Amino acid sequence: MTTPSALVRPSGVPLPRRLAARLALAAAFPLALLPPRHLRAVLALLRRGAVPASYARAGAARRAVCAVSLYCAGPRGCLPRSLGTALLCRLGGSWPTWCTGVRVVPPFSAHAWVEAEGRPVDEGVPDDYFSRLVAVAPGPAPRERPLP
């Protein structure tokens, strides 16, 4: 037996933000095909020079990604959704902590998400619901160059 369900597309996302989200997803879907080792290396390179994302900024990026892609808004779209969210934040100069891991309660399920300010962004679960296996956190703050 199947259970009927409907996906809710977030509304109120301005056109420029939706266009930026489409651009981020255009890069996120190919990145989702990479092996974990290569994906982590690419994300570590992309995060360089970015400041840590606030919870509000990461939440707005996640809503924009879900507004332009029903696949990402669905339950199986967690990997491209999390990648798109991180890339959209990066376009704005910040970086959330990108994570993949598993649920800590049965049944076993893999998941990808972003965290900001130490908690999962708009996941609707307690902070300790997932156990991280791979995480790409914001890098160290860029160093100032000494004056000549």
Side-chain angles (χ1 to χ4, degrees), residues 9-10 27 40 43 48 78 80 94 107 116 142:
R9 183 176 289 206
R40 185 177 185 174
L43 293 179
R48 296 175 104 191
C78 64
S94 62

Side-chain angles (χ1 to χ4, degrees), residues 21-89:
R22 287 191 187 275
L23 178 66
L25 283 175
F29 278 103
L31 284 175
L33 302 174
L34 291 176
R37 177 173 51 121
H38 294 137
L39 178 58
R40 185 177 185 174
V42 169
L43 293 179
L45 184 67
L46 291 173
R47 73 171 180 191
R48 296 175 104 191
V51 298
S54 68
Y55 189 88
R57 174 168 278 189
R62 187 181 191 277
R63 283 187 295 280
V65 165
C66 291
V68 299
S69 171
L70 281 178
Y71 179 75
C72 289
R76 295 183 180 236
C78 64
L79 183 56
R81 177 177 58 235
S82 64
L83 291 169
T85 300
L87 295 175
L88 187 54
C89 285

Side-chain angles (χ1 to χ4, degrees), residues 4-145:
S5 64
L7 297 175
V8 177
R9 183 176 289 206
S11 60
V13 179
L15 180 63
R17 188 74 167 169
R18 287 196 316 260
L19 294 174
R22 287 191 187 275
L23 178 66
L25 283 175
F29 278 103
L31 284 175
L33 302 174
L34 291 176
R37 177 173 51 121
H38 294 137
L39 178 58
R40 185 177 185 174
V42 169
L43 293 179
L45 184 67
L46 291 173
R47 73 171 180 191
R48 296 175 104 191
V51 298
S54 68
Y55 189 88
R57 174 168 278 189
R62 187 181 191 277
R63 283 187 295 280
V65 165
C66 291
V68 299
S69 171
L70 281 178
Y71 179 75
C72 289
R76 295 183 180 236
C78 64
L79 183 56
R81 177 177 58 235
S82 64
L83 291 169
T85 300
L87 295 175
L88 187 54
C89 285
R90 185 60 185 107
L91 287 174
S94 62
W95 185 264
T97 300
W98 178 83
C99 307
T100 60
V102 295
R103 275 196 274 191
V104 295
V105 296
F108 169 81
S109 178
H111 190 56
W113 69 97
V114 295
E115 292 182 358
E117 300 174 3
R119 56 193 173 127
V121 175
D122 293 343
E123 289 293 329
V125 296
D127 293 350
D128 59 350
Y129 190 75
F130 299 113
S131 177
R132 287 186 193 175
L133 297 177
V134 177
V136 181
R143 295 184 195 172
E144 291 185 17
R145 293 185 180 187

